[in-house]
Amino acid sequence: MTTNSAGVLADTASYAAAVEEATQAAAAYYATGESTLDDDAYDRLARGIAAYEAEHPQEVLAASPTGKVAGGAAIGDVPHTVPMLSLDNVFSAEQFVTWTASVERRIGRPVAAWSVEPKLDGLAVAARYQRGRLDRLITRGDGTAGEDVSHAIGTVLGLPERLNEPATLEVRGEILMTDEQFDAANAARTAHGAAPFANPRNGAAGTLRAKDRPYRVEMTFFAYGALPLPDSGASAEALTTLPHSEVLRHVAGLGVHTAADTAVAPRTAGTVEEVQTGVEDIAGQRATLPFGIDGIVIKADLAADQRDAGTGTRAPRWAIAYKLPAVEKVTRLLGVEWNVGRTGIIAPRAVLEPVEIDGSTVGYATLHNPADITRRDLRLGDQVMVYKAGDIIPRIEAPVAHLRTGEERPIEFPQSCPQCGSEIDTSEQRWRCVRGRDCRLVASVSYAAGRDQLDIEGLGATRVVQLADAGLVADLADLFTLEREQLLGLERMGETSTDNLLAAVETARSRPLSRVFCALGVRGTGRSMSRRIARHFATMDRIVAADTEALQRVDGIGKEKAAAVVAELAELAPLIAKLVAAGVNMTEPGATPPPDPGTEADEERAGAEGVSEGAGGTGLPLDAMTVVVTGAMTGVLEKLSRNEMNELIERAGGKASSSVSKRTSLLVAGEKAGSKRTKAEGLGVRIATPDEFAELIGSFLG
């Protein structure tokens, strides 16, 4: 009997089954990270068990995970000098407020200060230093004793073998894999014939315990506390009286890695409201972090408040984990669809058994490319770990190999283009139809005519199909050579619709270079990148003539992307030439072309750009400002699309961004601004109404 989706346990039998399932899941989770339940399912199961026990205290089983560290999983036999406890959880702002009130009732006064820090999704360990040398590394285990994993000393980033001072103390924290380390670990494992890790935590747990692997896998340590050891001396003993925030600073000073250098650095708060702002800030950055977090930890900062609040058998009463919605779940891979993009790229998409992740139902996930499928050893019917953060498209981390039944089947790769039946170019990781854009002519031209590209009103996919079927359009440039008589000869094209379409095409002929470049659909670029490229080079001639080194001078373009863009532009050269011949604009208004590289003028410009990036200097109204737009625009800005607003920002010297952070200079808040305005207010970001913004940029609206 499985109960992993149940929140309510109906009877004694279902309760006993739930306890058994939770116990087995905890043992697997804390031993290897290979639990049959994801975090969200385990949390719901544990809450159901606790609720049943609260109503039926006479039926509580000895094996119940309630009130036990690590769910009662007994792993390891090295005693901890001080119990290494777990944390209790809250799942909403209301539950958090109730918990803070209980802490203050317990200590008989308001908590002086709170510490707010990310709850890292790793494996808890205790690192014991003797006279500054890392002597022993121990897992949490059951809280009273853990497993000795000292063989891993010297392999974990952020956990030095020697401190900056000859201190004797124990540092506690989490060992985890960053996203980059996780990808590298799975590449190494599959290259050596091993199954990929299902998720970063599973990878960290397995790697920490491995002793004789023929390859090395990198991990990272983040400290979250420290305490003295026997014979520590006065300096380490002082740790017991320092505020938690000071303990973290002391540990960082010794050379141990903390979260202080990340975008979600621990911070202190004086009120519950300030804590909530900190929680929202950390949660809001979750999707952009290079490592996983599954919540935010809030602790009473002062040692006196911690002491007076006390400690239970499972968790301290002065700290809580504010859990965030799950961003990864286990579900079944039902099939793979092969879709052809507008540039001819053949992209696989996973069809999943629908599962709820982070508040939305997920039925599909990206699979990147065929090589990725092979590397991850994915099979139809696999139980797979699906990951989703923020608004990012869900992706499959890896199959959960230990759940395989033997009935899984290999994924079949296409032998010809699924769209047109032509041959497939498999020379690169991303497969492509040999016909390229010609394979998806309608999609390619429809994209180019879209509002954020050339904005040709009246030219939807149906009309493009009609033009293509009539032999009038074989590529984007042919739109600009259409004649009135040709269009009048088509079905459902009267004089009015013909004249309107020709007028829209004529208007599109004078769009700025950034729009034209975006309409080309160059792989690896989009609206924002197209604007940056156009602003940097000013003319299409200079873009086409740029080599990889020149393209890397554009913000956000690295070596690999630069090489891909150069190759794509070479392929697009005939189309660009046709557009030029058709009289399409190839310049960016207000942009200054770069001088030839290596010249004195180039050096002066580079220096000026350096000054501009750091402290302004262009004389433009939004010089060096990062601007976010949210809500519905009003007044003179009412009819502008979000892309047009971003274009306006960049013409005025600013940088358009989609998310509010400490680096945001200005938020343009229209009607129904919502959470972005709230976050900006919490961070002290300047906020302007649409009318105020229009006045600020002045003539750039013309």
Side-chain angles (χ1 to χ4, degrees):
M1 174 181 179
T2 180
T3 59
N4 63 3
S5 61
V8 178
L9 302 176
D11 50 35
T12 303
S14 61
Y15 164 68
V19 168
E20 181 180 2
E21 185 174 13
T23 302
Q24 292 175 351
Y29 182 82
Y30 288 101
T32 64
E34 294 185 340
S35 170
T36 55
L37 302 180
D38 54 51
D39 285 352
D40 188 54
Y42 182 83
D43 283 341
R44 283 187 280 114
L45 186 63
R47 294 200 299 274
I49 291 171
Y52 185 88
E53 292 173 348
E55 293 185 9
H56 307 86
Q58 72 283 1
E59 296 181 22
V60 175
L61 297 174
S64 169
T66 306
K68 296 178 182 177
V69 176
I75 304 163
D77 56 4
V78 180
H80 290 299
T81 55
V82 174
M84 198 169 178
L85 304 180
S86 298
L87 291 172
D88 286 330
N89 300 321
V90 294
F91 297 88
S92 67
E94 293 74 19
Q95 291 179 2
F96 172 67
V97 170
T98 300
W99 175 80
T100 57
S102 71
V103 175
E104 293 184 338
R105 282 197 303 271
R106 183 175 293 275
I107 67 176
R109 61 181 181 275
V111 171
W114 299 99
S115 174
V116 185
E117 56 198 78
K119 184 177 184 296
L120 302 167
D121 193 12
L123 192 71
V125 296
R128 295 180 182 175
Y129 284 90
Q130 296 289 342
R131 298 180 180 84
R133 184 178 63 84
L134 183 53
D135 181 63
R136 209 164 194 184
L137 197 58
I138 308 160
T139 64
R140 183 202 303 274
D142 65 356
T144 60
E147 181 182 355
D148 192 329
V149 288
S150 300
H151 58 268
I153 290 174
T155 67
V156 182
L157 295 182
L159 194 60
E161 293 184 67
R162 286 196 174 276
L163 300 176
N164 295 335
E165 300 175 9
T168 296
L169 78 167
E170 179 172 296
V171 179
R172 292 182 172 181
E174 298 274 335
I175 288 180
L176 53 77
M177 282 184 180
T178 65
D179 294 342
E180 184 178 350
Q181 289 170 338
F182 176 66
D183 288 340
N186 273 345
R189 282 178 66 78
T190 53
H192 284 80
F197 293 123
N199 55 43
R201 193 191 188 285
N202 163 240
T207 299
L208 190 62
R209 293 180 171 88
K211 294 183 179 180
D212 300 315
R213 281 182 178 159
Y215 55 92
R216 176 171 172 169
V217 172
E218 192 176 80
M219 297 177 291
T220 301
F221 177 82
F222 289 90
Y224 59 63
L227 62 151
L229 291 172
D231 302 322
S232 285
S235 61
E237 288 291 342
L239 293 172
T240 60
T241 61
L242 289 176
H244 171 71
S245 54
E246 290 293 333
V247 171
L248 290 183
R249 279 192 281 273
H250 177 73
V251 168
L254 294 175
V256 179
H257 196 195
T258 71
D261 295 327
T262 71
V264 286
R267 72 285 310 266
T268 54
T271 65
V272 172
E273 290 74 21
E274 290 176 356
V275 171
Q276 292 281 20
T277 298
V279 167
E280 291 171 5
D281 180 40
I282 293 174
Q285 298 186 69
R286 184 187 196 186
T288 63
L289 296 175
F291 48 78
I293 66 171
D294 58 359
I296 294 93
V297 177
I298 300 102
K299 303 175 181 176
D301 193 47
L302 297 189
D305 286 345
Q306 294 181 8
R307 182 187 62 248
D308 292 347
T311 299
T313 57
R314 177 186 180 275
R317 297 190 178 99
W318 43 266
I320 200 78
Y322 193 127
K323 297 296 287 290
L324 297 175
V327 294
E328 61 178 31
K329 288 286 188 70
V330 174
T331 189
R332 190 177 300 280
L333 175 61
L334 302 178
V336 174
E337 296 177 350
W338 298 88
N339 301 309
V340 183
R342 65 176 184 277
T343 63
I345 293 294
I346 300 171
R349 183 173 75 157
V351 181
L352 306 171
E353 191 171 280
V355 61
E356 185 172 321
I357 307 178
D358 199 16
S360 63
T361 300
V362 173
Y364 299 94
T366 182
L367 286 174
H368 301 298
N369 53 62
D372 184 64
I373 293 174
T374 301
R375 181 173 69 82
R376 297 179 189 273
D377 187 28
L378 290 169
R379 306 172 192 175
L380 296 179
D382 263 337
Q383 294 285 345
V384 293
M385 184 68 71
V386 182
Y387 179 85
K388 176 175 177 278
D391 295 327
I392 297 174
I393 297 172
R395 64 186 176 95
I396 290 178
E397 292 280 23
V400 187
H402 68 281
L403 296 181
R404 280 179 171 157
T405 63
E407 297 181 1
E408 295 77 16
R409 296 172 288 113
I411 294 172
E412 294 185 7
F413 294 173
Q415 301 301 307
S416 59
C417 174
Q419 178 68 26
C420 68
S422 300
E423 292 183 8
I424 298 176
D425 178 359
T426 61
S427 61
E428 298 182 8
Q429 282 199 337
R430 299 185 72 186
W431 290 7
R432 193 182 189 199
C433 174
V434 294
R435 295 183 62 205
R437 282 176 170 75
D438 291 341
C439 176
R440 291 299 304 272
L441 170 64
V442 172
S444 177
V445 175
S446 298
Y447 170 81
R451 184 178 181 186
D452 289 333
Q453 289 70 249
L454 296 179
D455 194 13
I456 304 177
E457 190 173 349
L459 191 62
T462 302
R463 186 68 71 202
V464 174
V465 169
Q466 189 179 24
L467 293 172
D469 288 346
L472 298 180
V473 171
D475 57 33
L476 167 61
D478 286 341
L479 293 175
F480 298 96
T481 61
L482 291 172
E483 298 178 358
R484 193 170 189 269
E485 291 72 20
Q486 292 174 323
L487 295 177
L488 287 172
L490 300 176
E491 292 185 13
R492 301 183 304 282
M493 284 296 287
E495 291 190 1
T496 300
S497 55
T498 293
D499 291 341
N500 287 342
L501 178 57
L502 288 174
V505 170
E506 187 61 31
T507 300
R509 201 188 304 271
S510 59
R511 298 287 184 211
L513 173 61
S514 56
R515 295 285 195 109
V516 177
F517 188 86
C518 189
L520 293 174
V522 177
R523 286 174 291 173
T525 68
R527 291 173 295 182
S528 297
M529 184 59 70
S530 295
R531 289 196 300 270
R532 287 183 223 159
I533 291 172
R535 295 287 300 173
H536 181 84
F537 290 103
T539 70
M540 183 67 85
D541 285 345
R542 290 185 174 88
I543 296 176
V544 172
D547 57 15
T548 56
E549 184 177 347
L551 273 167
Q552 287 179 71
R553 296 185 177 200
V554 178
D555 181 31
I557 296 187
K559 186 176 181 180
E560 289 186 6
K561 180 174 284 189
V565 171
V566 168
E568 184 93 355
L569 287 173
E571 181 182 318
L572 287 167
L575 175 60
I576 294 171
K578 282 184 67 175
L579 289 169
V580 171
V584 175
N585 172 62
M586 293 292 168
T587 62
E588 183 70 6
T592 303
D596 294 332
T599 64
E600 184 176 337
D602 181 46
E603 294 172 0
E604 290 177 359
R605 184 183 193 232
E609 287 179 344
V611 171
S612 173
E613 290 173 3
T618 66
L620 298 174
L622 301 181
D623 180 27
M625 295 175 66
T626 298
V627 183
V628 177
V629 179
T630 187
M633 295 296 101
T634 56
V636 296
L637 306 177
E638 183 176 8
K639 294 183 179 180
L640 297 185
S641 68
R642 190 64 82 237
N643 187 49
E644 289 169 331
M645 283 292 294
N646 290 339
E647 288 178 343
L648 190 58
I649 289 165
E650 294 181 7
R651 283 205 308 273
K655 179 180 179 181
S657 177
S658 60
S659 59
V660 175
S661 70
K662 293 178 181 178
R663 295 182 292 276
T664 303
S665 311
L666 177 68
L667 176 73
V668 183
E671 295 178 350
K672 299 179 181 179
S675 60
K676 289 184 180 179
R677 180 177 187 125
T678 302
K679 186 173 182 180
E681 290 171 343
L683 294 173
V685 172
R686 177 184 171 190
I687 300 175
T689 65
D691 288 343
E692 290 169 339
F693 179 71
E695 184 177 352
L696 174 64
I697 59 176
S699 62
F700 285 87
L701 276 171

